[in-house]
Structures are given as structure tokens and as C-alpha cells.
């Protein structure tokens, strides 16, 4: 071989680096997927939130606001019960919807207070305008009784806790029975001035009774709320009967005034009898942590198209770059250079190049052997 010949054609072969090829394709696919999501993101339902759900599936009327595109709610059965699956266009919307649905079944203090203020606001809006004629003492007493009966009926229907059906039995508290017996005694005695305070004391006794967990062992929140509803309706019937008896001796005009005055007293009771639903408040629904995750079927089409396009463009770019890359191991002859044999030119400095140290060492040894043989 000559001094300027390659030592080994195999050693000078151009190598294809698999790791570089892999990372080039991977980076191209990643950039393509990101670009596709930015330019053409999926529409409709993109995220879902999951939560264990012992209640019926939310209906259209349960939506806390106007329903948006991609928002749905369904129940999926499982070994440990049903799971509520809510879909939405964003993870935040899906999580918020689940919490709002849960608040309808297990309302917290804030939700109950907002609902109560709405009811009291309606009562204030219905108050008669201007001063009213003077009531007799019996008519005023009947007005307070009618106001308390209406207070119980309205709040029983407005309590935002799901109906648990009829409760088989209610174990009355002695303190509550004593408070209501005192209220009846005051009403029968015609003590109109003492009646509002007796109503307040009966309300306080009811709050302690329904808030005492030991008195309602085995009852769910919905069952306890249904017991409260039944109790209020029973008391309303008794109070209406007492009011009817109190108005028997009054004129038709006073009877009509008593019913008008009951609206004014109803607003007063709405302010006096605070937090009637406090016993049924649940921990804040904002503490709920539903499982929120993207919907794969919605995100896969743009991701696949973008990643495929990015990978192809990356391969094309690497192929074009390879075409313009110098071929390893080629020999360039300088114009005007006169080729001579090493034995004729005398001592000379030989530079041996190769793709790696193994090839260089092998070429140098072969060159040395060639010089010795010459």
C-alpha cells in the first residue's frame, strides 16, 4: 500500500449513530405535538372529574349555571358503589361542577346561609306597604302563631338537603317537648308579649336536639333533615289550629288583619330564629378532592397528527444534513503536488488520520511495516 492510502476501508466507513437519530425524532415529535395543540386544541369535553357518589345522577336542573359545551354528568357502577363522572372543557370547570353537585346534597354553612337569606329576602319583598290598622291582642297573638307555622312550612320545603323519604319514627327530646308545652301554655293564656320569647326558646331547644349526634345515631344527614321537616309540619298544624281558635271571637276584619300581620311577624322571626339549618351543614365542599384527569380520546388525535408530522420533518432534516456532510476517509490531492515514493524522498513526517484511535493505531502500524518492507 502507499503512504497516502487508507489503512482499512472498513475503519473509515461512516457510522450511523442510533442515539442521535432517536433523540432527533423524539424532539421533533414533541415539538410537533406542542405545535398541534397550540394551533388546533380539541373542543368539547377534554377533562373528567371522578368522585364516589351515593346519590342520583345530577339532572339538567342541578346545573349551577348555564350548561356549556362538553359538560356532562353520568354514573359508572363499580364494586364499591357508583362513581360520578363529570366532563368539561377544562380541569377547573370539571372540579368545580363536582363540588357544586356535592353541595346540593351535602350543603355547607355558606350554602345554607345563602339559601336562607334568599328565603328571608322573599319574605321582606312580600311585606305590606305603609302602616296597618291596629290589631286586637287576640288577633296579634294569632298573627304570631300563623307566622311561626308559615316559618316552619316554608323552611321545611326550602331546606336544600335531598329528601330521604318518610322517617319511621322520631324520638322526641324532653327539652323540646317542655319548650313547646311552654309555648302552648303562653298562647292559651293569651300572653301576646311573651309569645315571641317562647317561640325563640322552642327554636333553641330544637337546634340543640337536631345538632346532638348522639340523639340521632344511625340517621344520615338526609334522614335527620327529613325528620326536621316532619317535625316542623306537625308543629305548623298545631299552631294553625291554635290560631284558628284565637280568631273565633274576632271580627272578619281582624281576622284579615291578623293574616296580613303574620307576614310582618314572619320577617321578624326570620331575623330572630337564626341558623335553623345549622345541624345539617356538612364540611365545606371546597375541601373535596375529586380525581381530575384528561380524556385520552379527546387529546389523542391532535397529539398523534402533530407528533407524526414533527417526527417526519425531523427525519427529513437529518437526511438533508447528511447529504451535505463530508464523507469520512476520503483523500484530497492538492493541485501541483508531485507524488513520490517514501523511499525516494527520504525521511518525511507522515500524518495518519482516522475515525477513532483504533483505526489510527492500525494505520500507523501498517505504514511502519510498509516502510520497513521497502
Amino acid at each position: 500500500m502507499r503512504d497516502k492510502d487508507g489503512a482499512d476501508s472498513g475503519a473509515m466507513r461512516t457510522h450511523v449513530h442510533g442515539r442521535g437519530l432517536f433523540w432527533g425524532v423524539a424532539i421533533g415529535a414533541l415539538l410537533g405535538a406542542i405545535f398541534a395543540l397550540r394551533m388546533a386544541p380539541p373542543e368539547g369535553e377534554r377533562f373528567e372529574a371522578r368522585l364516589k357518589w351515593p346519590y342520583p345522577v345530577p339532572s339538567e336542573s342541578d346545573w349551577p349555571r348555564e350548561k356549556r359545551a362538553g359538560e356532562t354528568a353520568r354514573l359508572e357502577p363499580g364494586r364499591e358503589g357508583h362513581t360520578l363522572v363529570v366532563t368539561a372543557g377544562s380541569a377547573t370547570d370539571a372540579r368545580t361542577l363536582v363540588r357544586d353537585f356535592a353541595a346540593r346534597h351535602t350543603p355547607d354553612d355558606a350554602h345554607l346561609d345563602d339559601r336562607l337569606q334568599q328565603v328571608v329576602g322573599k319574605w321582606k319583598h312580600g311585606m305590606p306597604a305603609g302602616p296597618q290598622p291596629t290589631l286586637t291582642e287576640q288577633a296579634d297573638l294569632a298573627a304570631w302563631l300563623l307566622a311561626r307555622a308559615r316559618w316552619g312550612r316554608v323552611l321545611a320545603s326550602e331546606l336544600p338537603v335531598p329528601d330521604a323519604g318518610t322517617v319511621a319514627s322520631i324520638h322526641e327530646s324532653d327539652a323540646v317537648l317542655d319548650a313547646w308545652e311552654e309555648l302552648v301554655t303562653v298562647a292559651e293564656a293569651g300572653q301576646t308579649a311573651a309569645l315571641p320569647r317562647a317561640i325563640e326558646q322552642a327554636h333553641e331547644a330544637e337546634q340543640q336536639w337536631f345538632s346532638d349526634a348522639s340523639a340521632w345515631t344511625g340517621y344520615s344527614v338526609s334522614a335527620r333533615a327529613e325528620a326536621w321537616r316532619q317535625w316542623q309540619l306537625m308543629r305548623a298544624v298545631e299552631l294553625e289550629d291554635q290560631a284558628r281558635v284565637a280568631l273565633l271571637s274576632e271580627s272578619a276584619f281582624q281576622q284579615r288583619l291578623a293574616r296580613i300581620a303574620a307576614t310582618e311577624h314572619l320577617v321578624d322571626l326570620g331575623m330572630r330564629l337564626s341558623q335553623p339549618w345549622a345541624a345539617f351543614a356538612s364540611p365545606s365542599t371546597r375541601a373535596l378532592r375529586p380525581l381530575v384527569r384528561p380524556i385520552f380520546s379527546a387529546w389523542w388525535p391532535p397529539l398523534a397528527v402533530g407528533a407524526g408530522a414533527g417526527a417526519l420533518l425531523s427525519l427529513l432534516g437529518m437526511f438533508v444534513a447528511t447529504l451535505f456532510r463530508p464523507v469520512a476517509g476520503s483523500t484530497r490531492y492538492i493541485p501541483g503536488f508531485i507524488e513520490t515514493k517514501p523511499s525516494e524522498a527520504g525521511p518525511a513526517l507522515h500524518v495518519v488520520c482516522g475515525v477513532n484511535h483504533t483505526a489510527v493505531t492500525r494505520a500507523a502500524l501498517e505504514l511502519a511495516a510498509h516502510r520497513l518492507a521497502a
Side-chain angles (χ1 to χ4, degrees), residues 25-264:
V25 173
I27 294 175
L30 177 62
L31 293 178
I34 294 175
F35 181 79
L37 292 179
R38 293 285 296 177
M39 298 302 296
E43 298 180 354
E45 51 186 56
R46 300 186 296 180
F47 291 88
E48 65 178 18
R50 294 174 167 266
L51 186 68
K52 294 297 181 183
W53 196 256
Y55 312 106
V57 61
S59 61
E60 296 288 338
S61 60
D62 294 328
W63 240 256
R65 48 170 170 71
E66 185 178 354
K67 197 173 182 180
R68 300 171 183 170
E71 292 182 350
T72 62
R74 69 180 187 274
L75 289 181
E76 290 187 357
R79 294 182 179 179
E80 300 180 357
H82 289 81
T83 300
L84 176 65
V85 182
V86 176
T87 63
S90 67
T92 301
D93 288 343
R95 184 183 298 106
T96 301
L97 282 175
V98 169
R99 290 173 175 173
D100 289 338
F101 292 148
R104 289 183 173 271
H105 295 276
T106 56
D108 55 14
D109 288 324
H111 185 76
L112 291 175
D113 187 64
D114 290 342
R115 187 67 171 270
L116 181 61
Q117 293 305 318
Q118 294 176 8
V119 175
V120 175
K122 293 179 181 179
W123 292 343
K124 291 180 179 179
H125 185 71
M127 286 183 61
Q132 300 297 316
T134 304
L135 288 169
T136 63
E137 187 171 352
Q138 280 294 104
D140 193 24
L141 181 99
W144 278 106
L145 295 174
L146 290 174
R148 175 59 181 82
R150 185 179 172 189
W151 181 92
R153 286 187 181 277
V154 173
L155 292 187
S157 63
E158 293 290 338
L159 176 58
V161 176
D163 188 357
T166 304
V167 180
S169 61
I170 300 177
H171 306 287
E172 293 89 350
S173 167
D174 292 338
V176 174
L177 294 177
D178 292 342
W180 273 97
E181 185 177 353
E182 177 66 21
L183 189 155
V184 172
T185 302
V186 171
E188 291 177 348
Q191 301 175 4
T192 306
L195 186 58
R197 179 55 188 162
I199 293 175
E200 289 183 23
Q201 291 177 342
H203 171 68
E204 293 171 359
E206 288 178 354
Q207 278 191 308
Q208 293 179 0
W209 175 32
F210 284 95
S211 299
D212 185 7
S214 61
W216 298 94
T217 303
Y219 286 78
S220 63
V221 175
S222 298
R224 190 149 37 104
E226 185 59 30
W228 186 86
R229 292 190 185 99
Q230 295 181 21
W231 175 262
Q232 295 302 327
L233 294 178
M234 290 189 295
R235 300 286 75 79
V237 172
E238 295 179 4
L239 293 172
E240 290 167 350
D241 291 341
Q242 284 186 309
R244 191 177 301 109
V245 172
L247 291 174
L248 287 177
S249 60
E250 299 297 324
S251 64
F253 178 69
Q254 285 293 325
Q255 292 179 11
R256 187 166 59 254
L257 286 181
R259 291 181 174 83
I260 296 174
T263 303
E264 297 180 357

Side-chain angles (χ1 to χ4, degrees), residues 272-362:
R272 286 172 178 261
L273 310 182
S274 61
Q275 298 181 339
W277 298 330
F280 318 115
S282 299
S284 176
T285 56
R286 300 303 163 193
L288 289 177
R289 291 292 182 269
L291 174 62
V292 180
R293 62 188 184 186
I295 301 176
F296 180 76
S297 60
W299 293 93
W300 173 244
L303 281 175
V305 173
L312 289 177
L313 291 175
S314 177
L315 285 174
L316 179 61
M318 287 188 289
F319 176 73
V320 173
T322 305
L323 294 179
F324 293 95
R325 182 181 301 171
V327 180
S330 62
T331 303
R332 176 181 296 181
Y333 294 92
I334 302 175
F337 178 78
I338 300 176
E339 182 178 358
T340 59
K341 294 183 179 182
S343 58
E344 299 175 355
L349 176 63
H350 297 274
V351 179
V352 181
C353 300
V355 295
N356 52 49
H357 67 279
T358 303
V360 172
T361 303
R362 181 177 179 179

